[in-house]
Amino acid sequence: MTQNTSQSSGIVIIGSGLAGYTLIREIRKLDKTAAITLITREPGYFYSKPMLSTALASNKEAAQLISTPAEGMGTQLEINILADTDVSVIDAATQTIQTSKGALSYTKLVLALGADQIRIPFEGSAANEVLTVNDLEDYAKFRSAIANKKKVAILGAGLIGCEFANDLVLGGYEVDVIDLAPQVLGRLLPEAAAKDLQKKLSDLGVRWHFSTTAKAINRNGNTIEISLANGESISCDVVLSAVGLKPRVDLAKAAGIKTGLGVQVNRELETSHKNIYSLGDCAEVEGLVLPYVMPIMQAARALAPTLLGQVTTLSYPAMPVMVKTPALPTIVSPPAKDAQGQWKTTAIEGGIEARFEAADGKLLGFALMGTATSQRGSLTKELPPILQ
């Protein structure tokens, strides 16, 4: 079921991440025989990407994170997989794509391209040594880079930065985290909750450098020196950048498909070009790009019937995000950008409950930490949907 480059028409999906494979599973629940071709730059295996930031403390090597190899996925889902294959051109007029293994036609095309880690250009002789972890191969390189080393500096105190910081200190590393914001998870947590998470990670040994940025990254013998904008410097062995994600839009843009922050789609997940759809970290739905697991699941469930002729509109319920920081388990459902209200934070035994409430007391968002995470289910029911 793999590596067949003959002309094939049917549903073609570009991208073998969680979005691509979840969509295929949803299609197979509805139709066991629809022709599906998956094209991917990667080998086509299935693995849990969220585990990349938590696998170190449990001493898992990259190969151990693969749950099913490509051959297994092809057989299990009865699909044609073109692995290690690049797509260079989408021709919407003829409904064909050009790949590094030949041309392919489609009846429906799905862009599940994912996102890249944002790379900031730095000055200095070690600027090109800054690592990112965005896939299994990146993780393997990172594991190799930190082997027999002691100190890791992380650029970014967002969700991925905090998860890696927790994982690395549990794995015995010294960790410095640098962020321009004055706190961790600046876009997700109120100040009091952020301070609690910072303290718990500090107690494990994480060192924080807030309200500053890395200006230059230089090699000094066996170590790397990071010069900060506030005049301080940090010495480390490895630098990991986790400053955010940038949706992959170049392929769509070159095909004349409308893009903004991501590949723009309507509520049926169709792009500006007929029969071309998008979901996952690369897709923008009504101005929203949500690079989390739950939105991918919702989108896949809506898109599968649409691709099979039963047009279905996507809706997003409230979808809390779990931050994988064992030092202080955290679940966040941030308020909408334009939400009017304020945070009310209450310390409870073993945790914190922070509620973002409108003037009339209506719950618009929350952050639950430690023992308060048990309230996830009940509070989620009170929240308005993200997309009705």
Side-chain angles (χ1 to χ4, degrees), residues 169-180:
V169 287
L170 288 178
Y173 290 85
E174 288 183 44
V175 179
D176 287 272
V177 181
I178 304 150
D179 200 297
L180 185 57

Side-chain angles (χ1 to χ4, degrees), residues 9 50 65 70 73 75 83 103 152 170 209 220 238 265 289 347 363 370:
S9 200
L65 299 183
M73 295 305 290
T75 305
V152 179
L170 288 178
H209 308 267
N220 182 9
V238 175
V265 294
V289 177
L363 188 68

Side-chain angles (χ1 to χ4, degrees), residues 149-153 173-176 207 235-239:
K149 301 284 180 20
K150 288 182 180 175
K151 296 181 179 180
V152 179
Y173 290 85
E174 288 183 44
V175 179
D176 287 272
R207 295 183 289 259
S235 174
C236 62
D237 300 309
V238 175
V239 183

Side-chain angles (χ1 to χ4, degrees), residues 65-78:
L65 299 183
I66 298 171
S67 52
T68 314
E71 289 294 329
M73 295 305 290
T75 305
Q76 185 187 108
L77 297 169
E78 296 192 53

